[in-house]
Amino acid sequence: MAKYGLVLCAIISIVGGSREKEAIQWVKDYSLLTDDAMHTWNTVNWNYQTNITKENEQAATEQRGRISSFLAQVNENASHFDDVIFTDNITKRVFHFLRRNTGKGIVDSSIIRRMGELRYKMMRQTNSARIRRLNCTSEVDCELDRIGYRDAMGEVKEPEELKYMWEKMMDAAAKPNLEIYPEFIDLKNKVAQSSGFNNRAEDLLFYYDDEDFEEQCLVLWKEVLPLYQKLQNFVRHHLKQVYSEVEFPDSGHIPVHLLGGSMGAFWQHLYKDIEPFSNKSRVSFGDELLAKNYTSKGIYKQAESFFVSLGYDPLPAQFWEDSMFEKPIDGREVICGASAWDFGKNGESRIKHCGTVTEMTFNTAHHELGHIYYFKAYAELPHRLRQGANPGFHEAIGDCISLSTETSHYLHHVHLVDKPTNDEGQTFPQNTLKTGDVHLFPSEADVNFLLRQALYKLAIMPFSLLVDTWRYSVYRGETLPHEYNKNWWNLRCKIQGVSPPSPRSSSDFDPAELSHISSDTPYLRYFVSLILQFQFHEALCQEAGHQGPLYTCDIYQSKEAGAKLWSLMELGASKPWSEALQMIAGTRKMNAQPVLEYFKPLSDWLDAQNFPRVTWDEECPDGSFTSGAERTYLYHLPLLVCVRIIMVTLSLD
Ligand SMILES: [Zn+2]
């Protein structure tokens, strides 16, 4: 009997083995086909984003429909191998992603097409919004486009004008999308359901490979929260002095229009108003970039040299010829937000960025090249595994590099600042840091530097968490259209400690001012990246043999650190992210300690300052919402969406 059992096992093994070989060959074939399809899609999409015309939008909408159908068909075909138990780890991982489709069928192409139309319409409405400045009488310079608005919110210091611009931009860029968004969400959920998910939120969370991933993020945020509270308090205290004529709410919130940006997410524009020690900062090197005749492309070249110093190849001529580094001056309308593109074939990649010669572009260039080198590192993997270990990994690479390139030591090395500032200024003996036998004192310049970094990296953390907290609740049906705006502000008040400058209503749609909402780009990845980039930085600094506080480390020219980072990137998504993280950071868990360690001197300094400590209320200040100005269509919205879906399904339009 046992003998027959052995023979049977051998037969199953042979059959299983041949089926696996068949599957391996199928993965190779489909990968080549997908490369072609993605190259075509990226080309059409690139043409649209770098030249927004009706024709290009139409072409992109159609091509998006084709690529979606193609990818759905691939998933469907993959289900033919559902019976195979894989021994080859790479193939097993490919099917882990492909088997997301549980065979409920391919979604109707008219739904895909309609979804594309809505998405492009929302993007167009947000991207093309224009407002006029308050009391502007000049014939020129009165109109602000999106970039002009963002810059003006960072420069203007008149609170009434800031409030006016903020309200006008919400009306122009965000509010119009309220009529579209419920239908868009419904279609997104339908597509997710066709892949076996309950809703689109589940679909997005699939890439984090962990059922309690949202919970993990909340735990991490609780660890960072005390540090953020100190920053929020410090900023609020100083803004009350800068805007003494503004009545701040007693609830402890900061009115969002005073935070120096369009969404009140990044606070770096506030730095010059609240700098702790004047004349002790490293000089801004924006002027130096101009004086040295840098162009935006030249800044990208400089950024490339950092990656080359880690032992990586220079980028090919194709990249430099095909990328868009500046806003075109030939009248083309383009989508300006910086992005890195993997064209999916022959290692072709590009940057699209309306770069200017500023420090901001210097930062962005390192961020975007982080994506480009990630593309290169995993280029040999089958198509489905060419992605970050999880979406946050992809965002973290370039930002981790920026933690090195922002140090005055590195900037001095590349002749952008005169000399390192770490040893300038007075010291704070009470804040002595001990690193092995080395005793270091954070100087005034260090405190300035860390505050600047905190306004950039720490201020965005709660925002990067709450955007998808809100969006997931919409996908899950927990936030209905008439609650969109109120729940958005409930989260912003509770998590971020900011409040609206004037009463908002359910006929407003403030989250849609964020381009990631109108373009349906996930946002949780940025929160994950903010945690991971400090973990990576700490691990790479150790590899580079750095001694001293984490915030002074740069890994420039460390081939050892470069090799470690490359070994993470070349994995792509071929292993679960926890394994990839263990390889670089020695732990399978995301960990907030490196963030706290990096900002420890600033945290200590804030503790020693004398300003009121306020814990903001969880609820928004009284008067933040009005029930007036409801649009009657909102009451009929569910019905309208329903009718619309039926029309799309039946292809009646
Ligand atoms: Zn990015």
Short mmCIF file of all heavy atoms in Angstrom, two decimals, residues 139-161:
data_model
loop_
_atom_site.label_atom_id
_atom_site.label_comp_id
_atom_site.label_asym_id
_atom_site.label_seq_id
_atom_site.Cartn_x
_atom_site.Cartn_y
_atom_site.Cartn_z
N GLU A 139 -4.01 95.22 -14.21
CA GLU A 139 -4.50 94.38 -15.30
C GLU A 139 -3.73 93.06 -15.35
O GLU A 139 -4.23 92.06 -15.81
CB GLU A 139 -4.35 95.11 -16.64
CG GLU A 139 -5.40 96.18 -16.89
CD GLU A 139 -6.83 95.64 -16.78
OE1 GLU A 139 -7.13 94.64 -17.45
OE2 GLU A 139 -7.63 96.21 -16.02
N VAL A 140 -2.49 93.15 -14.90
CA VAL A 140 -1.67 91.93 -14.90
C VAL A 140 -1.40 91.49 -13.46
O VAL A 140 -1.60 92.25 -12.53
CB VAL A 140 -0.31 92.17 -15.62
CG1 VAL A 140 -0.52 92.32 -17.10
CG2 VAL A 140 0.41 93.38 -15.04
N ASP A 141 -0.96 90.25 -13.31
CA ASP A 141 -0.56 89.71 -12.01
C ASP A 141 -1.70 89.59 -11.00
O ASP A 141 -1.46 89.41 -9.81
CB ASP A 141 0.57 90.54 -11.36
CG ASP A 141 1.81 90.54 -12.22
OD1 ASP A 141 1.99 89.56 -12.97
OD2 ASP A 141 2.58 91.51 -12.14
N CYS A 142 -2.93 89.79 -11.44
CA CYS A 142 -4.04 89.64 -10.50
C CYS A 142 -4.48 88.19 -10.40
O CYS A 142 -5.01 87.76 -9.39
CB CYS A 142 -5.24 90.48 -10.94
SG CYS A 142 -5.11 92.17 -10.36
N GLU A 143 -4.29 87.46 -11.49
CA GLU A 143 -4.78 86.09 -11.52
C GLU A 143 -3.72 85.14 -10.98
O GLU A 143 -2.55 85.26 -11.30
CB GLU A 143 -5.14 85.70 -12.96
CG GLU A 143 -5.90 84.40 -13.02
CD GLU A 143 -6.35 84.06 -14.44
OE1 GLU A 143 -5.53 83.50 -15.19
OE2 GLU A 143 -7.49 84.36 -14.76
N LEU A 144 -4.18 84.23 -10.15
CA LEU A 144 -3.27 83.22 -9.60
C LEU A 144 -3.69 81.84 -10.09
O LEU A 144 -4.85 81.45 -9.92
CB LEU A 144 -3.33 83.23 -8.07
CG LEU A 144 -2.84 84.49 -7.35
CD1 LEU A 144 -3.16 84.38 -5.86
CD2 LEU A 144 -1.34 84.67 -7.55
N ASP A 145 -2.74 81.13 -10.72
CA ASP A 145 -3.02 79.73 -11.02
C ASP A 145 -2.64 78.90 -9.79
O ASP A 145 -2.34 79.45 -8.73
CB ASP A 145 -2.29 79.27 -12.30
CG ASP A 145 -0.78 79.36 -12.15
OD1 ASP A 145 -0.29 79.60 -11.02
OD2 ASP A 145 -0.07 79.19 -13.17
N ARG A 146 -2.62 77.61 -9.92
CA ARG A 146 -2.39 76.77 -8.74
C ARG A 146 -1.02 77.03 -8.11
O ARG A 146 -0.89 77.08 -6.90
CB ARG A 146 -2.51 75.29 -9.14
CG ARG A 146 -3.86 74.92 -9.69
CD ARG A 146 -4.88 74.70 -8.61
NE ARG A 146 -4.54 73.55 -7.80
CZ ARG A 146 -4.86 73.43 -6.51
NH1 ARG A 146 -5.50 74.39 -5.90
NH2 ARG A 146 -4.53 72.35 -5.85
N ILE A 147 -0.01 77.17 -8.96
CA ILE A 147 1.33 77.38 -8.41
C ILE A 147 1.43 78.79 -7.82
O ILE A 147 1.99 78.99 -6.73
CB ILE A 147 2.40 77.16 -9.50
CG1 ILE A 147 2.43 75.67 -9.84
CG2 ILE A 147 3.77 77.63 -9.03
CD1 ILE A 147 3.46 75.29 -10.86
N GLY A 148 0.84 79.78 -8.52
CA GLY A 148 0.85 81.15 -8.01
C GLY A 148 0.15 81.23 -6.67
O GLY A 148 0.59 81.93 -5.75
N TYR A 149 -0.94 80.49 -6.55
CA TYR A 149 -1.70 80.47 -5.29
C TYR A 149 -0.86 79.85 -4.17
O TYR A 149 -0.76 80.41 -3.07
CB TYR A 149 -2.98 79.66 -5.50
CG TYR A 149 -3.68 79.24 -4.22
CD1 TYR A 149 -4.37 80.15 -3.44
CD2 TYR A 149 -3.64 77.90 -3.81
CE1 TYR A 149 -5.00 79.76 -2.27
CE2 TYR A 149 -4.27 77.50 -2.64
CZ TYR A 149 -4.95 78.43 -1.87
OH TYR A 149 -5.56 78.03 -0.71
N ARG A 150 -0.23 78.72 -4.48
CA ARG A 150 0.59 78.05 -3.46
C ARG A 150 1.70 78.98 -2.97
O ARG A 150 1.94 79.12 -1.78
CB ARG A 150 1.19 76.77 -4.05
CG ARG A 150 1.92 75.89 -3.06
CD ARG A 150 2.82 74.90 -3.77
NE ARG A 150 3.86 75.59 -4.51
CZ ARG A 150 4.57 75.05 -5.51
NH1 ARG A 150 4.32 73.83 -5.89
NH2 ARG A 150 5.51 75.73 -6.12
N ASP A 151 2.36 79.66 -3.93
CA ASP A 151 3.44 80.57 -3.55
C ASP A 151 2.91 81.75 -2.74
O ASP A 151 3.51 82.16 -1.75
CB ASP A 151 4.17 81.07 -4.80
CG ASP A 151 4.93 79.94 -5.49
OD1 ASP A 151 5.09 78.88 -4.86
OD2 ASP A 151 5.34 80.12 -6.65
N ALA A 152 1.75 82.29 -3.18
CA ALA A 152 1.18 83.45 -2.49
C ALA A 152 0.81 83.09 -1.05
O ALA A 152 1.00 83.89 -0.13
CB ALA A 152 -0.04 83.96 -3.25
N MET A 153 0.29 81.88 -0.84
CA MET A 153 -0.08 81.48 0.52
C MET A 153 1.15 81.40 1.43
O MET A 153 1.04 81.51 2.65
CB MET A 153 -0.79 80.12 0.50
CG MET A 153 -2.18 80.14 -0.10
SD MET A 153 -3.37 81.20 0.74
CE MET A 153 -3.76 80.28 2.22
N GLY A 154 2.32 81.20 0.83
CA GLY A 154 3.55 81.16 1.62
C GLY A 154 4.16 82.54 1.83
O GLY A 154 4.97 82.72 2.74
N GLU A 155 3.78 83.51 0.98
CA GLU A 155 4.44 84.82 1.04
C GLU A 155 3.59 85.90 1.69
O GLU A 155 4.11 86.75 2.41
CB GLU A 155 4.79 85.26 -0.40
CG GLU A 155 5.93 84.45 -1.01
CD GLU A 155 5.92 84.49 -2.53
OE1 GLU A 155 5.16 85.30 -3.10
OE2 GLU A 155 6.65 83.69 -3.13
N VAL A 156 2.28 85.88 1.43
CA VAL A 156 1.40 86.95 1.93
C VAL A 156 1.31 86.86 3.45
O VAL A 156 1.28 85.76 4.02
CB VAL A 156 0.00 86.81 1.29
CG1 VAL A 156 -1.01 87.73 1.96
CG2 VAL A 156 0.08 87.08 -0.20
N LYS A 157 1.29 88.02 4.13
CA LYS A 157 1.20 88.02 5.59
C LYS A 157 -0.06 88.74 6.09
O LYS A 157 -0.17 89.02 7.28
CB LYS A 157 2.45 88.70 6.18
CG LYS A 157 3.72 87.92 5.94
CD LYS A 157 3.72 86.57 6.65
CE LYS A 157 4.82 85.68 6.12
NZ LYS A 157 4.55 84.26 6.27
N GLU A 158 -0.96 89.09 5.18
CA GLU A 158 -2.21 89.73 5.58
C GLU A 158 -3.26 88.65 5.82
O GLU A 158 -3.68 87.97 4.87
CB GLU A 158 -2.70 90.66 4.46
CG GLU A 158 -1.93 91.95 4.35
CD GLU A 158 -2.07 92.78 5.61
OE1 GLU A 158 -3.17 92.80 6.19
OE2 GLU A 158 -1.06 93.37 6.04
N PRO A 159 -3.70 88.47 7.06
CA PRO A 159 -4.60 87.34 7.33
C PRO A 159 -5.91 87.38 6.54
O PRO A 159 -6.41 86.35 6.12
CB PRO A 159 -4.86 87.43 8.84
CG PRO A 159 -4.33 88.74 9.28
CD PRO A 159 -3.33 89.20 8.29
N GLU A 160 -6.44 88.60 6.32
CA GLU A 160 -7.70 88.68 5.57
C GLU A 160 -7.49 88.24 4.13
O GLU A 160 -8.34 87.59 3.53
CB GLU A 160 -8.25 90.11 5.62
CG GLU A 160 -9.08 90.41 6.86
CD GLU A 160 -10.16 89.36 7.15
OE1 GLU A 160 -10.96 89.07 6.25
OE2 GLU A 160 -10.17 88.82 8.27
N GLU A 161 -6.34 88.62 3.57
CA GLU A 161 -6.06 88.22 2.19
C GLU A 161 -5.84 86.71 2.10
O GLU A 161 -6.28 86.05 1.16
CB GLU A 161 -4.83 88.98 1.67
CG GLU A 161 -4.64 88.80 0.17
CD GLU A 161 -3.47 89.60 -0.39
OE1 GLU A 161 -2.91 90.44 0.35
OE2 GLU A 161 -3.12 89.36 -1.56
#
